Amino acid sequence: MSLTTQHLSLHAGTRTLLDSLDLALEPGEVLGILGANGAGKSTLLAVLAGLAVPARGQATLDGQPVANLPPLTRAQHIGLLPQGDEGGFFGSVADFVALGHFPFGSPIPDLAPHLATWELTDLARRPLDTLSGGERQRARLAQLAVQAPRIALLDEPLTHLDPAHQARLLAWARSE
């Protein structure tokens, strides 16, 4: 499954963030995007996920424009871990993690391995909004793991994680 861009340009008001990016990501590749705050990294990831429209060009998934794919189809193939935690979820950690399977319908898979991987087993019944920033980030990563996207777009994924969980995330990203 390949994710590509052709002549992709991003603007913020009158400012050009990215001009004519041609990119091809193939299965097994890991790419890091570096840039200053406000440079357009999050905007680029939103366009790649089909959640934002570029000023010019397009992103494609196996040759199909990402923006034209039905949302559930996109979510079955592309997972996005956004930079921010919008909050507003009042259920348990387990309920939040289970939402990763939403694009696939029922039945919900066994969450235990994903909760264990991110050391959330003992927190599974706690309300998500009672967790620390690092614990919430681990819950978001577990939700992404349950989604099991073919392509994972991670926006500042190490935020709030302690060094041990940062190492776990980097190992997980390389293995997926």
Side-chain angles (χ1 to χ4, degrees):
M1 177 156 289
S2 64
L3 182 64
T4 63
T5 65
Q6 296 89 32
H7 311 296
L8 192 72
S9 294
L10 306 176
H11 297 161
T14 59
R15 194 168 58 114
T16 298
L17 302 175
L18 188 65
D19 188 30
S20 199
L21 175 68
D22 291 328
L23 175 70
L25 296 172
E26 298 298 329
E29 289 186 315
V30 175
L31 172 70
I33 302 170
L34 301 175
N37 296 118
K41 302 176 300 293
S42 297
T43 303
L44 173 60
L45 292 180
V47 168
L48 293 175
L51 301 175
V53 179
R56 192 180 81 219
Q58 67 179 351
T60 62
L61 182 64
D62 284 345
Q64 299 297 315
V66 173
N68 294 349
L69 295 173
L72 284 178
T73 301
R74 277 197 317 259
Q76 290 170 350
H77 298 291
I78 301 172
L80 175 65
L81 179 77
Q83 183 182 128
D85 182 2
E86 292 76 33
F89 185 83
F90 300 104
S92 72
V93 171
D95 293 338
F96 180 77
V97 170
L99 285 174
H101 193 69
F102 178 80
F104 304 97
S106 296
I108 294 173
D110 181 14
L111 300 178
H114 303 290
L115 293 169
T117 295
W118 297 104
E119 296 182 7
L120 296 166
T121 303
D122 293 341
L123 304 174
R125 295 198 189 297
R126 286 215 5 225
L128 182 72
D129 65 353
T130 66
L131 301 185
S132 72
E135 290 166 337
R136 273 196 313 277
Q137 184 74 336
R138 291 182 356 238
R140 293 167 71 219
L141 289 163
Q143 183 186 74
L144 184 67
V146 167
Q147 182 183 352
R150 305 282 306 272
I151 297 168
L153 304 173
L154 310 177
D155 195 351
E156 297 195 26
L158 303 176
T159 301
H160 303 298
L161 296 179
D162 60 44
H165 289 104
Q166 288 178 3
R168 178 169 291 143
L169 168 59
L170 295 173
W172 177 81
R174 282 191 289 271
S175 70
E176 289 300 305

